[in-house]
Amino acid sequence: MSIITVVGASGGTVQVTVDGAQNAALVTQGTTLSNTLAGVITTLDTRKLGLSATLSSRTNQAAYGVITAGGAYNIVGNVSWLTVGSDSAATPGVPLNDAVTINAAGSTANTTILGGTNAGITLQAGDQNGTFFAGTGNNQFTGQAGDWSVTTGNGNDTITSGDGNNTIAAGLGSNLVDLGLGVNFVYSTGQDTITASGGVQTVSLEGAGSTVVLGDNSLVIDSASGQKITVGGASTVAGGVSDSVTFTGQDGTVEGGLGSTISATSGNLQTSNTDAANITVLQDLTFIGGTGQTHVTAGHATIFGSNGLDMTFDMTRDVTADIDNVFAANGGNMTLDGASSAFGIHAFGNNEGTTGAQTFVGGAGADTLVAGVGDATLTGGTGDANIFGFRDHVAGGDYTITDFGAVAGNSVLLVNYDYTHASFQTDVLDHAVHSGANTTITLSDNSKITFVNVASLNGQSFTGF
């Protein structure tokens, strides 16, 4: 706990108490306000308020009031500064321990309130703009239409912003922050509950275990873990570890995060660079560059993989010829397992870049699984007939088709290879290698394809000539 000495009335000083885990930052901010006050005090009508007094401007000068005792106070008219704390002369080094209530609804000036009492400050703001610095205790702030900067210390604070544009920094503790219809910025370091039904909200979470419920057009940046976050449409949630994130609108975006559970209950979602996420989307998912053990349930999905992705995928909505579930691999090792999906997928290995081991497992529908520059294991599934694709000058690795004989009509599509049916028979099939129950062929670009549990191959199973 620290005490800031603030210029008072009649040459006296006031002791404002500051606490909090971010003590240094709070002291710096409080000191800056104190220094600003000291620079303008000669222009102010300065008065020390008696118990439960009303402060109103009595001259053309803006008024400055000093409160050093608990009670209820009113400020009216052109009151631009108020300090709440203990009297340095009467109780040196001792903080104010009594609760202070301030009704500033009648103030017509931009108002700065700098205070700290262990029992907390309750402030009712008006339509004016202002700054509220409450360094310690359990504080309450209620705004109306004005724009305010609100900073609190370590207590359990209650902040109702009103409909202005506000910047709110709530310290450690269990804080309640209810945001109005303005454009608000919230910096949360405690275990807070932050709500809003409208407005445009930006919330930064640095403490763990908060609950955030916001409307449309919100941005939540999480630097901690274990948050419960619900946002409306056109919102973005970034970062976080083991969060629960729910989107209730038509569109949303997730950036980063580790081990989070993410759901879009009404519409579409785009994710980028998630790690080990569990994602459920009612409609369309665009998944970009995720890693780790990831599970996706979506109506439809376009997935861009990256090195280290191990995804299981379940598509819940049938697709038309114009809307396919597409997986596009990047370089490196990755797995796409759609075995639990009732519908098919189209998966493409990387065209260039680093090689790796890629595994594609199709769903119960018709799948198209296309190998890339690295090694690949392809499993079509036991539903409709599947296509296994290989591209000249893109392929070239060692490939395995695990279930080519499982479904009648499975076929291999050879893209840009210079074969005719006759030359493919003589150059490739006639030189196939049989090992146990498996058959391996080698293409002109040195791609080796092993068909598991297939004793022989028929040229009619190959297309693209």
Side-chain angles (χ1 to χ4, degrees), residues 198-365:
V200 178
Q201 318 298 347
T202 298
V203 175
S204 176
L205 302 172
E206 296 184 8
S210 290
T211 298
V212 179
V213 181
L214 306 175
D216 296 346
N217 303 305
S218 298
L219 170 62
V220 180
I221 303 170
D222 183 17
S223 300
S225 63
Q227 325 286 8
K228 295 180 180 179
I229 301 169
T230 302
V231 290
S235 295
T236 297
V237 176
V241 176
S242 300
D243 288 346
S244 174
V245 181
T246 302
F247 291 83
T248 60
Q250 288 300 306
D251 296 284
T253 302
V254 173
E255 299 176 355
L258 169 63
S260 294
T261 298
I262 303 164
S263 64
T265 59
S266 299
N268 308 320
L269 184 68
Q270 176 176 299
T271 67
S272 62
N273 302 314
T274 58
D275 189 3
N278 189 334
I279 302 171
T280 303
V281 180
L282 179 66
Q283 296 185 17
D284 296 341
L285 170 68
T286 301
F287 180 97
I288 302 172
T291 55
Q293 291 186 338
T294 299
H295 179 74
V296 168
T297 300
H300 165 262
T302 301
I303 300 168
F304 298 93
S306 60
N307 186 28
L309 177 64
D310 183 2
M311 176 183 286
T312 57
F313 172 67
D314 182 8
M315 188 190 73
T316 60
R317 191 176 79 237
D318 198 1
V319 296
T320 69
D322 297 324
I323 306 177
D324 295 319
N325 294 282
V326 176
F327 176 88
N330 204 334
N333 302 322
M334 65 196 71
T335 297
L336 175 71
D337 185 350
S340 62
S341 177
F343 306 103
I345 61 175
H346 297 280
F348 298 86
N350 54 316
N351 293 338
E352 57 186 15
T354 59
T355 60
Q358 301 180 353
T359 299
F360 301 153
V361 180

Side-chain angles (χ1 to χ4, degrees), residues 10 86 139 292 378 380 400 415:
S10 302
S86 59
N139 303 283
L378 311 177
T400 301
V415 180

Side-chain angles (χ1 to χ4, degrees), residues 4-16 33-49 54-59 61-68 75-86 109-115:
I4 301 171
T5 300
V6 182
V7 61
S10 302
T13 56
V14 183
Q15 300 167 137
V16 172
L33 290 173
S34 176
N35 291 339
T36 302
L37 172 60
V40 299
I41 194 168
T42 58
T43 68
L44 302 175
D45 177 14
T46 304
R47 280 170 279 167
K48 182 175 181 179
L49 301 186
T54 295
L55 173 63
S56 60
S57 52
R58 59 190 178 187
T59 67
Q61 288 180 299
Y64 166 42
V66 176
I67 296 173
T68 57
I75 59 175
V76 179
N78 187 19
V79 178
S80 60
W81 284 87
L82 200 64
T83 296
V84 179
S86 59
N110 290 353
T111 307
T112 297
I113 298 171
L114 172 60

Side-chain angles (χ1 to χ4, degrees), residues 404-426:
F404 189 73
V407 177
N410 278 351
S411 63
V412 174
L413 174 64
L414 300 178
V415 180
N416 295 327
Y417 286 92
D418 188 19
Y419 291 120
T420 64
H421 282 288
S423 65
F424 184 74
Q425 179 67 47
T426 57

Side-chain angles (χ1 to χ4, degrees), residues 359-363 367 369 377-382 386 388 400-403:
T359 299
F360 301 153
V361 180
D367 305 305
L369 309 180
T377 300
L378 311 177
T379 302
T382 58
N386 307 294
F388 303 90
T400 301
I401 302 175
T402 67
D403 63 344

